[in-house]
């Protein structure tokens, strides 16, 4: 491949990723941003008060597209307000930000995957609680193996945070608002770009959405508009990269602190969901580029080598990687037809989005045990699905 070929591949895929997928991801993130603004907080309050049906609510929180719902379950476990089975249910049900890729690309597959993983999550969560799986290693939960900050001196004073499932100044506070990755510092250049540039990015997405819908409806563009959309989309992905760098979100995008901030402020929801759209968009572009390069290097037919049972194993193992980046690539490849549904199912069960990071920050043991359990469940369900259907 010559340099011009590569450049052509980059621009074309950057444009297609933005106009055909990212703009729709933006719509989904906006819609769920508004829904979550009210819903997540209520579910968390509900689950903390009730002992019965906890894995069911945990699975529901995990099912909410994005990582926020599952993230909010983690402090509750450390504060001993929910069972370990509830953590498992939330982690199994969540597909992190890759949910938005499926919603934009194939909503029927998204609904099918959600329904199946919801049932699997509840069953697995209840089994874990009933048989006390992992209890021997985990004891009674709480903060384990982590030194919290002595005081929250690094807290940015002008951010008003509405805490969910924990209180100001407690152990969770000293870890998730201080030691673990949290909201970027106010006043930095990155903060200014993400917190002032978000409306610009949303407007860019809105214009792209018009082209995206026209593309979907197979409207014929003349040469001028064809080129215009090509460059507009390319610039769209470029702006997404800038926003990603400004927000310093490369492999994961949601932190516990930001989820709390979003629940307390609609403006923060708009700011961080713009960041999240950019994050997802860049990873979709990477996935498209991988397929594009693979196709021109090996030919389209040779890319289908993961169609067998090995796909289920690869999917379950990939799911161990925390964060949403790699997981978005996997789901994008599924949409391109490179994997069977059994692999998507195993992957959805195995992967935890960004929710494992806060748990790891507070209780390393619990995050390891949870990963092992969700991977085993993914393998069992994935292989069973492969042979049954
Ligand atoms: Zn908090
Ligand atoms: Zn913010």
């Amino acid at each position: 491949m010559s340099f011009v070929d590569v450049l052509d591949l980059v621009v074309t895929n950057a444009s297609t990723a933005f106009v055909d997928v990212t703009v729709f991801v933006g719509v989904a993130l906006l819609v769920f941003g508004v829904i979550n603004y009210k819903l997540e907080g209520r579910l968390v309050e509900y689950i903390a008060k009730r002992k019965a049906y906890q894995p069911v609510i945990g699975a529901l929180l995990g099912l909410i597209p994005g990582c926020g719902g599952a993230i909010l379950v983690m402090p509750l476990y450390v504060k001993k307000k929910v069972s370990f089975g509830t953590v498992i249910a939330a982690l199994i049900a969540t597909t992190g930000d890759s949910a938005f890729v499926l919603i934009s690309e194939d909503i029927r597959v998204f609904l099918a995957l959600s329904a199946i993983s919801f049932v699997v999550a509840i069953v697995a969560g209840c089994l874990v609680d009933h048989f006390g799986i992992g209890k021997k290693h985990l004891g009674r939960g709480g903060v384990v193996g982590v030194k919290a900050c002595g005081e929250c001196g690094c807290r940015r004073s002008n951010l008003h945070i509405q805490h969910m499932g924990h209180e100001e100044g407690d152990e969770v506070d000293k870890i998730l608002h201080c030691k673990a990755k949290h909201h970027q510092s106010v006043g930095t250049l990155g903060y200014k770009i993400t917190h002032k540039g978000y409306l610009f990015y949303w407007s860019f997405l809105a214009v792209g959405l018009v082209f995206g819908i026209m593309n979907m409806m197979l409207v014929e563009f003349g040469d001028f508009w064809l080129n215009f959309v090509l460059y507009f989309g390319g610039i769209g992905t470029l702006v997404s990269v800038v926003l990603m760098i400004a927000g310093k979100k490369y492999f994961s995008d949601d932190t516990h602190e930001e989820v709390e901030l979003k629940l307390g402020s609609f403006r923060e929801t708009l700011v961080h969901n713009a960041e999240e759209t950019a994050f997802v968009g860049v990873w979709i572009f990477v996935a498209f580029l991988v397929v594009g390069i693979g196709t021109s290097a090996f030919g389209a037919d040779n890319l289908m080598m993961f169609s067998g049972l090995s796909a289920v194993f690869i999917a379950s193992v990939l799911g161990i990687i925390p964060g949403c980046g790699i997981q978005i690539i996997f789901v994008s490849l599924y949409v391109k037809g490179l994997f069977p549904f059994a692999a998507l199912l195993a992957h959805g069960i195995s992967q935890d989005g960004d929710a494992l990071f806060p748990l790891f920050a507070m209780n390393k043991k619990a995050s390891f045990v949870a990963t092992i359990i969700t991977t085993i469940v993914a393998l069992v369900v994935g292989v069973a699905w492969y042979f049954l259907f």
Side-chain angles (χ1 to χ4, degrees):
M1 272 197 288
S2 71
F3 176 72
V4 178
D5 289 340
V6 174
L7 193 70
D8 188 50
L9 211 60
V10 170
V11 175
T12 315
N13 282 301
S15 181
T16 325
F18 189 78
V19 175
D20 287 351
V21 191
T22 309
V23 294
F24 295 102
V25 168
V27 174
L29 264 156
L30 206 56
V31 171
F32 281 104
V34 176
I35 295 175
N36 289 352
Y37 186 55
K38 291 280 171 226
L39 179 73
E40 279 181 352
R42 277 192 204 155
L43 277 175
V44 169
E45 275 163 22
Y46 183 86
I47 197 175
K49 271 189 229 136
R50 309 224 170 184
K51 284 285 160 246
Y53 308 114
Q54 278 190 341
V56 179
I57 316 283
L60 256 181
L61 275 160
L63 213 57
I64 297 172
C67 304
I71 283 179
L72 287 173
V73 173
M74 304 306 146
L76 293 174
Y77 169 70
V78 174
K79 297 284 278 184
K80 296 171 189 165
K81 284 178 187 160
V82 304
S83 65
F84 188 57
T86 311
V87 170
I88 297 296
L91 291 179
I92 285 179
T94 189
T95 50
D97 284 330
S98 59
F100 296 115
V101 179
L102 269 187
I103 290 174
S104 334
E105 294 266 55
D106 198 335
I107 189 127
R108 285 194 320 211
V109 172
F110 169 76
L111 292 174
L113 177 68
S114 297
I116 302 166
S117 25
F118 185 58
V119 175
V120 174
I122 293 171
V123 172
C126 290
L127 285 178
V128 164
D129 280 349
H130 186 77
F131 292 106
I133 298 168
K135 260 228 163 89
K136 210 174 86 192
H137 300 284
L138 298 174
R140 293 190 56 237
V143 174
V144 174
V146 182
K147 268 186 82 184
C149 293
E151 52 180 303
C152 288
C154 50
R155 159 83 53 74
R156 293 125 327 273
S157 52
N158 50 347
L159 289 178
H160 173 71
I161 300 173
Q162 184 187 331
H163 296 298
M164 272 289 147
H166 78 100
E167 274 95 51
E168 179 93 18
D170 64 2
E171 290 165 302
V172 173
D173 193 339
K174 285 171 185 170
I175 296 171
L176 293 185
H177 292 295
C178 181
K179 204 176 166 101
K181 188 177 180 189
H182 43 65
H183 190 273
Q184 64 189 143
S185 299
V186 174
T188 55
L189 179 66
Y191 177 88
K192 281 178 195 149
I193 294 174
T194 51
H195 286 67
K196 292 216 167 82
Y198 70 102
L199 282 179
F200 169 75
Y201 188 67
W202 281 119
S203 341
F204 216 86
L205 284 168
V207 178
L209 184 66
V210 176
F211 295 128
I213 291 172
M214 285 167 85
N215 258 351
M216 214 168 59
M217 292 163 70
L218 303 174
V219 174
E220 293 271 346
F221 287 110
D223 272 352
F224 170 79
W225 285 106
L226 217 52
N227 273 321
F228 185 86
V229 173
L230 177 71
Y231 290 113
F232 183 86
I235 294 168
T237 292
L238 192 66
V239 176
S240 307
V241 172
V242 171
L243 206 56
M244 180 192 234
I245 295 170
K248 291 206 180 102
K249 290 178 173 171
Y250 305 110
F251 291 95
S252 68
D253 66 302
D254 251 340
T255 68
H256 165 79
E257 184 164 86
E258 284 159 359
V259 173
E260 284 188 338
L261 270 168
K262 285 202 275 188
L263 293 180
S265 151
F266 188 61
R267 178 177 175 268
E268 282 293 305
T269 297
L270 287 178
V271 168
H272 291 285
N273 283 17
E275 273 185 17
E276 208 165 332
T277 306
F279 170 87
V280 177
V282 173
W283 279 100
I284 289 168
F285 162 59
V286 173
F288 276 32
L289 200 58
V290 167
V291 175
I293 291 172
T295 308
S296 44
F298 306 112
D301 295 341
N302 295 323
L303 280 184
M304 313 292 278
M305 54 191 170
F306 296 125
S307 52
L309 196 59
S310 62
V312 175
F313 286 95
I314 294 171
S316 307
V317 173
L318 271 183
I320 294 175
I321 304 169
C324 293
I326 304 294
Q327 319 305 346
I328 290 170
I329 291 198
F330 181 88
V331 171
S332 305
L333 295 187
Y334 167 81
V335 173
K336 295 257 182 190
L338 264 66
F339 294 100
F341 181 75
L344 181 76
L345 180 59
H347 178 259
I349 291 171
S350 175
Q351 71 136 312
D352 309 319
D354 294 337
L356 208 64
F357 289 118
L359 184 61
F360 180 78
M362 294 183 291
N363 187 329
K364 292 195 172 44
K365 247 187 194 173
S367 70
F368 285 127
V369 177
T371 301
I372 294 167
I373 294 176
T374 57
T375 310
I376 293 172
V377 175
L379 277 170
V380 171
V381 175
V383 170
W385 190 274
Y386 184 82
F387 282 115
L388 288 176
F389 304 101

